[in-house]
Amino acid sequence: MIPLEIGNLAVSGAPDWGLALGLSTAGFAARSFTDSDRTCCRIRGFVEAVLGEWGIGPGPGRDAALTVAWELVGNTIRHVLRDGRQDGGAWLGLVRKDSAVLVAISDPDPRPPRPSRPDTMDESGRGLLLVSVLSTAWGWSLSPAGGKTVWARVPTQKKI
């Protein structure tokens, strides 16, 4: 059994983004996080455990879901939680839908994510580019609570 933190994931401007996408609470997992030094290990372990519980074994789909989750978490830590402008933490939500996983991050900052155009030798700035390449769709919306949710739909299996 996975120790999941299930609760309200304050997401999108839509009244209930999950219902709008035809999702039920089955196949849903969420965990709060902060900018603590141990966040990366906890979040990676959480995502790996959830994907394993859902039967998403080693392979490109699992790797893509892990990468997208970590990039979105990393962006939230770097641009929202560590900059000192926002108090508190954020939430990572995972939803299993058909042959994909929806990765969603809710944070208290209403500023939109901004893809950058790094120079060839820059060591950072490619996170949202990776998210775009590894997902079939991604986007963001404002939360009624004043923050935002950034989400990505990551395919985990090839459709035959």
Side-chain angles (χ1 to χ4, degrees):
M1 185 69 167
I2 301 170
L4 303 179
E5 294 177 24
I6 306 295
N8 283 339
L9 183 63
V11 296
S12 88
D16 186 332
W17 64 272
L19 291 177
L21 292 173
L23 306 172
S24 69
T25 56
F28 174 79
R31 181 171 181 127
S32 63
F33 65 94
T34 66
D35 67 344
S36 126
D37 291 338
R38 295 174 31 188
T39 292
C40 68
C41 295
R42 288 180 179 162
I43 290 295
R44 183 167 184 90
F46 172 76
V47 174
E48 286 177 334
V50 169
L51 296 177
E53 184 79 12
W54 290 344
I56 302 169
R62 182 185 183 98
D63 293 345
L66 283 166
T67 300
V68 167
W70 181 242
E71 287 298 333
L72 293 180
V73 167
N75 283 348
T76 301
I77 291 170
R78 186 175 303 110
H79 299 294
V80 176
L81 301 178
R82 283 208 176 137
D83 70 4
R85 287 184 265 202
Q86 301 294 329
D87 292 329
W91 281 89
L92 163 67
L94 301 170
V95 179
R96 179 80 166 119
K97 179 71 173 156
D98 300 326
S99 60
V101 171
L102 181 69
V103 178
I105 303 289
S106 289
D107 68 53
D109 187 350
R111 295 178 296 167
R114 292 186 0 227
S116 61
R117 297 175 189 249
D119 289 333
T120 304
M121 298 303 290
D122 287 349
E123 293 182 7
S124 64
R126 292 172 182 80
L128 291 176
L129 176 61
L130 280 171
V131 169
S132 178
V133 168
L134 294 173
S135 62
T136 56
W138 79 275
W140 71 281
S141 58
L142 292 173
S143 168
K148 70 175 171 303
T149 296
V150 181
W151 59 268
R153 185 179 189 281
V154 183
T156 54
Q157 301 174 346
K158 291 184 178 180
K159 291 188 178 184
I160 298 173

